[in-house]
Amino acid sequence: MPDLPDRAAPPAHAAVPAPHLGLTWRPLTTDDADLVHALTERCEAVDQPVLRTARAQVEDVLGRPATGMKADSLGGFDASGELRAAAFVHAPLGDETHARVFISASVDPSWRGRGIGRALLTWQDDRARQILATLDPRLPGRIAAYVDEDLEDRRRLYAAAGFSPKRTFREMRLRLTEPPVAVDVPEGYEIRQWSPEIDDAVRDAHNEAFRDHWGSQPVAESTWAASHRSLEAAWSVVAVHLETGSVAGYALTARHEHQWEALGHSEGFTELLGVLRPHRGSGVARALLAAVLTALYRDGIEVAALDVDMENPSGAHRFYERMGYEPQGARILYTIEV
């Protein structure tokens, strides 16, 4: 890929893949949800990704301009009208320390090896820089993509385009073959079940808890609601500091049933677990996670899962290992600073 322009001078036009690749290109809309989901399923059957995509997630992606993000998409259709390739670019709004644009793409397994992935990445890079030019110019820009660690061809593609592996997010799992060990709740705290009434306070707590984590940015209300559509209230808990009545920590667990057949087991996935700084080291995190494990076991769920930033200086992965979780596959975040 040729040298790319800097953020101050985004390309005038995003380079749409050339006609010789055999596809007709246009933006994707919510009317394309069936085609996008079908393409995603064909790709995931071959790639066996760490995380699989639900139909509802496809609808969220296609509707991103209405969910608090600046977004764009491009689909490549064959002569029969079948979607063979798709690319997405989106920027969360409200970032405070970096202006971020995330990219993702899918190419039908039967159409790979023709240069389509490289052409889509060129379009995504151009479009991402155009979007970055509309964001806060005082913030450093970052283009980012998640790649499963075992997809070596895709990793080489990003590396050749100037992206660097920045963080590794590893899944960890615990088989619930026996009742979880009881854990005492620290004095001065109470573990309560999550409810919609407390959700905004949990969002505020999450934004504060993750303020010191690499790459984390505040989550806006509109984005927050869409981010945990699969949340299971019965498996999600909040730690309340009794003296102040405020949220001290939280563990939000999702029911991703669309993944269970491929995984070969039922699973509760704890998507977010955080403790605010004044309450760290008190045992709140352990009590939260123990409450989640108890709820999962009670409901007959076979496996508890979560993912962890392996470069987190707090050593969170060691904490999860002590709780009985074992490391599994990982996604690597590739970034380019602009």
Side-chain angles (χ1 to χ4, degrees):
M1 183 178 292
D3 290 341
L4 297 168
D6 60 27
R7 185 181 172 196
H13 303 284
V16 174
H20 77 269
L21 294 175
L23 299 175
T24 301
W25 301 91
R26 66 165 173 80
L28 296 166
T29 73
T30 53
D31 292 336
D32 297 310
D34 287 341
L35 293 172
V36 175
H37 190 228
L39 171 62
T40 301
E41 288 189 318
R42 293 196 298 274
C43 292
E44 292 182 348
V46 171
D47 297 334
Q48 297 294 305
V50 170
L51 297 178
R52 292 178 179 263
T53 308
R55 168 59 187 259
Q57 291 173 288
V58 170
E59 294 172 353
D60 282 345
V61 167
L62 294 173
R64 271 175 175 161
T67 56
M69 297 186 181
K70 290 194 172 186
D72 206 349
S73 63
L74 187 67
F77 296 82
D78 67 14
S80 71
E82 188 68 60
L83 181 66
R84 297 299 182 180
F88 301 93
V89 181
H90 72 273
L93 302 183
D95 285 0
E96 293 182 353
T97 64
H98 279 77
R100 301 172 302 160
V101 178
F102 290 88
I103 62 176
S104 62
S106 300
V107 178
D108 192 301
S110 65
W111 281 71
R112 294 175 182 176
R114 309 184 187 196
I116 294 173
R118 185 177 302 276
L120 284 178
L121 184 53
T122 298
W123 174 82
Q124 288 176 303
D125 194 284
D126 288 348
R127 191 69 192 97
R129 291 169 186 270
Q130 290 177 332
I131 291 176
L132 281 171
T134 70
L135 303 179
D136 190 337
R138 298 168 297 177
L139 301 180
R142 175 181 294 153
I143 305 173
Y146 288 97
V147 186
D148 278 25
E149 65 177 346
D150 60 345
L151 297 182
E152 295 182 359
D153 287 349
R154 197 166 303 176
R155 291 175 61 183
R156 284 194 291 269
L157 175 65
Y158 282 107
F163 287 73
S164 300
K166 186 65 67 173
R167 310 289 275 203
T168 298
F169 294 87
R170 187 163 300 282
E171 285 209 344
M172 303 187 75
R173 287 190 167 88
L174 167 60
R175 287 201 166 269
L176 298 167
T177 55
E178 56 188 33
V181 175
V183 173
D184 292 334
V185 178
E187 185 176 354
Y189 297 90
E190 183 178 70
I191 304 297
R192 301 176 184 173
Q193 186 172 316
W194 174 91
S195 67
E197 292 74 23
I198 201 173
D199 193 44
D200 200 48
V202 174
R203 180 178 67 86
D204 290 340
H206 171 74
N207 286 340
E208 181 58 32
F210 276 76
R211 191 175 296 277
D212 57 354
H213 285 228
W214 182 91
S216 181
Q217 300 293 325
V219 183
E221 184 176 356
S222 57
T223 308
W224 175 261
S227 70
H228 56 269
R229 184 187 299 277
S230 301
L231 182 144
E232 177 58 66
W235 306 340
S236 299
V237 291
V238 177
V240 175
H241 185 234
L242 295 176
E243 182 177 345
T244 63
S246 61
V247 173
Y250 53 90
L252 305 184
T253 302
R255 179 191 288 270
H256 295 158
E257 289 193 46
H258 66 281
Q259 298 204 124
W260 291 2
E261 182 177 356
L263 289 170
H265 58 249
S266 59
E267 181 176 280
F269 196 98
T270 301
E271 295 185 328
L272 295 175
L273 189 154
V275 176
L276 277 72
R277 282 180 292 279
H279 308 284
R280 293 175 186 170
S282 63
V284 167
R286 183 177 175 84
L288 285 166
L289 199 53
V292 170
L293 296 178
T294 298
L296 293 172
Y297 184 81
R298 176 199 64 212
D299 288 353
I301 300 301
E302 297 167 275
V303 172
L306 45 76
D307 66 6
V308 60
D309 178 356
M310 296 300 289
E311 285 76 37
N312 187 328
S314 71
H317 67 283
R318 291 189 292 272
F319 164 70
Y320 296 131
E321 287 174 347
R322 291 193 297 272
M323 293 290 291
Y325 287 78
E326 297 179 351
Q328 307 287 319
R331 296 186 303 157
I332 299 173
L333 181 67
Y334 277 77
T335 67
I336 189 168
E337 309 298 319
V338 298

